[in-house]
Amino acid sequence: MSVTVRVPAKVNVQLAVGGARPDGFHDLANVFLAVGLYDEVTVEPADELTLTCTGPGSDQVPLDRTNLAARAAIALAERHGLGDPTVRIHIAKDIPVAGGMAGGSADAAGALVACDALWGTGASRAELLDICAELGSDVPFSLVGGAALGTGRGEKLQPLEVGGEFWWVFAVADGGLSTPAVYREFDRLSPEAPEPVASPALLDALRTGDVRRLAATVTNDLQPAALSLFPSLKETLDAGTAAGAVAALVSGSGPTTAFLAADEAAARGVADGLAASGTCRAVRVAGSPAPGATVLSGN
């Protein structure tokens, strides 16, 4: 028997970051939007916990117990007294790796849902979300998808209404950025960061499906830190804007950059312009919002 779960990437249409807390985390007002780029996570019985991975960037994915997908299986097994999980987890990557699009978090949510189905543990939605929050700040959203406001360190979710479809272009950088390093640079650049608050205008733009209003309100407080550590990202942002994007920003902690387009046809044009610019390694187009972790098959 095996179970396959599809999980989406995300873009942060607003990432408001407060100062560092005593526990080292930062309070956030994080408006997540799931986008139609997916990883697929398949689990099946095995003699011991093993991981395999295929797809773009798979050589950068750890295949030991530090992988969030492995940690998700271990956490669910511990909760239900199953001992060490005896499963093979296979991750088919399509979400850019180390790109600020929560690919690792998505894989954790996928493994959690898949193992729950495989083992018949019958975990409630609340229990799954609780395990997700223990695994990482972005993991709960990977489970629920759609759109949501994340507060606390991003793990406390409030679902948001989205009144239309938004089209994005993602430019994958040639290189990576460490999320902890980006936050350290944020602390250096913003020692007196104000309390993070979600933008009412942005939330209303999502609710009404107004792409122009959304374009005017997207923000990422980590962008100056990401640009400080990876200055060439500015060339990519400028190239996407020149190609017709109505908004351009660093995705999460980067180094992937995200471009909002007026519609699907415009997104294709932005993608072509970015691909021709020579400022990025790869370009992807995706619509949003997208569903969260979804069981595709079990046999």
Side-chain angles (χ1 to χ4, degrees), residues 49 65 70-87 119 121:
L49 177 61
R65 288 171 175 254
R71 290 171 54 194
I74 293 166
L76 183 65
E78 286 179 349
R79 289 240 183 168
H80 290 268
L82 300 178
D84 200 52
T86 52
V87 290
W119 298 333
T121 48

Side-chain angles (χ1 to χ4, degrees), residues 52-251:
T52 56
C53 185
T54 56
S58 57
D59 59 323
Q60 302 174 53
V61 176
L63 299 179
D64 57 18
R65 288 171 175 254
T66 65
N67 187 295
L68 274 178
R71 290 171 54 194
I74 293 166
L76 183 65
E78 286 179 349
R79 289 240 183 168
H80 290 268
L82 300 178
D84 200 52
T86 52
V87 290
R88 173 180 177 263
I89 302 171
H90 177 70
I91 301 168
K93 293 295 300 180
D94 196 38
I95 300 172
V97 175
M101 298 184 72
S105 296
D107 297 339
L112 190 61
V113 171
C115 286
D116 176 57
L118 181 70
W119 298 333
T121 48
S124 67
R125 185 79 158 178
E127 181 183 355
L128 293 176
L129 284 170
D130 188 49
I131 296 173
C132 286
E134 292 175 359
L135 292 168
S137 301
D138 288 345
V139 184
F141 179 70
S142 298
L143 182 74
V144 303
L149 168 62
T151 55
R153 54 184 171 83
E155 85 284 9
K156 301 173 183 175
L157 296 179
Q158 173 189 336
L160 297 175
E161 181 182 354
V162 181
E165 189 172 34
F166 297 99
W167 282 91
W168 296 87
V169 180
F170 298 96
V172 182
D174 191 5
L177 271 175
S178 158
T179 297
V182 173
Y183 272 97
R184 286 193 296 271
E185 183 69 356
F186 169 83
D187 291 336
R188 186 184 74 82
L189 295 174
S190 307
E192 302 295 331
E195 180 181 351
V197 178
S199 161
L202 181 141
L203 298 181
D204 191 60
L206 283 176
R207 184 184 59 79
T208 58
D210 190 325
V211 66
R212 296 290 175 179
R213 291 183 64 199
L214 182 64
T217 51
V218 294
T219 56
N220 179 2
D221 286 355
L222 292 182
Q223 181 161 312
L227 291 175
S228 173
L229 298 174
F230 204 137
S232 64
L233 293 181
K234 185 178 186 304
E235 298 176 15
T236 314
L237 293 171
D238 290 344
T241 301
V246 293
L249 73 164
V250 173
S251 180

